[in-house]
Amino acid sequence: MVPREKDIRQSERTGLPGSGGGLAFLVKTSEVKYIEVLPNFPPHSTTEAQALNILLPAHTITVLNAYHPDTAPIDTLFLQDLASTTAETKILFGDLNARSPSWGNNLLDAKGKQIEDLIDDLNLTILNTGEITFVSKTNGTASASPDSNFTR
């Protein structure tokens, strides 16, 4: 793909229970060359995800952006499949609605445990520092979860 000065790569899955409003990458410079990794969405999965392989002169970086609603089990095999590239550097970020003390939440839920296992399987490092990443629109409460960032 030949990038333009600004290029927005969108992914929107509508009509599925719990599906959100979609995801987007903004590539702001024409100097960045990338290939979109087209996901093979599992049937009935409520996880939304998209990935780009950013092509640098010396190596490739895979960037994976994901959203998962709070009410359904997460499909970590789908995320692992998207992240299974030959890139030396991988960055996974998103609103996964998964809670774990590993990224600043007070409790560990089932999705948090699944994401912890995925982090181990992909040999990723948690980038979250415990700083607030989410503020509720309804009641103004803030937390360091459910937004998560990982890299290798």
Side-chain angles (χ1 to χ4, degrees):
M1 157 167 264
V2 177
R4 298 179 292 266
E5 185 173 324
K6 289 185 181 176
D7 195 12
I8 299 175
R9 306 305 310 156
Q10 291 181 292
S11 168
E12 187 169 339
R13 299 186 67 205
T14 57
L16 291 174
S19 63
L23 304 167
F25 279 113
L26 171 63
V27 179
K28 196 172 175 177
T29 176
S30 60
E31 314 229 339
V32 175
K33 295 190 177 22
Y34 64 89
I35 299 171
E36 188 170 2
V37 178
L38 298 176
N40 184 12
F41 288 110
H44 310 294
S45 175
T46 55
T47 302
E48 298 177 54
Q50 65 182 155
L52 296 179
N53 283 331
I54 299 171
L55 309 172
L56 301 175
H59 68 281
T60 300
I61 299 173
T62 298
V63 181
L64 176 61
N65 180 11
Y67 168 76
H68 188 78
D70 198 25
T71 57
I74 195 162
D75 186 353
T76 55
L77 292 177
F78 168 55
L79 295 176
Q80 188 165 13
D81 184 49
L82 262 180
S84 294
T85 67
T86 58
E88 295 172 19
T89 304
K90 298 178 186 192
I91 301 169
L92 165 60
F93 63 89
D95 179 356
L96 300 173
N97 284 296
R99 287 145 183 85
S100 169
S102 297
W103 48 88
N105 198 273
N106 291 334
L107 61 100
L108 175 66
D109 65 8
K111 284 187 278 191
K113 176 67 175 128
Q114 287 179 286
I115 297 300
E116 284 181 346
D117 291 343
L118 178 67
I119 292 166
D120 285 342
D121 291 345
L122 294 174
N123 195 27
L124 299 176
T125 300
I126 299 169
L127 297 176
N128 293 62
T129 62
E131 291 184 38
I132 294 170
T133 63
F134 173 78
V135 177
S136 170
K137 285 190 269 183
T138 51
N139 62 19
T141 59
S143 74
S145 177
D147 304 323
S148 307
N149 303 283
F150 315 101
T151 190
R152 175 182 78 173

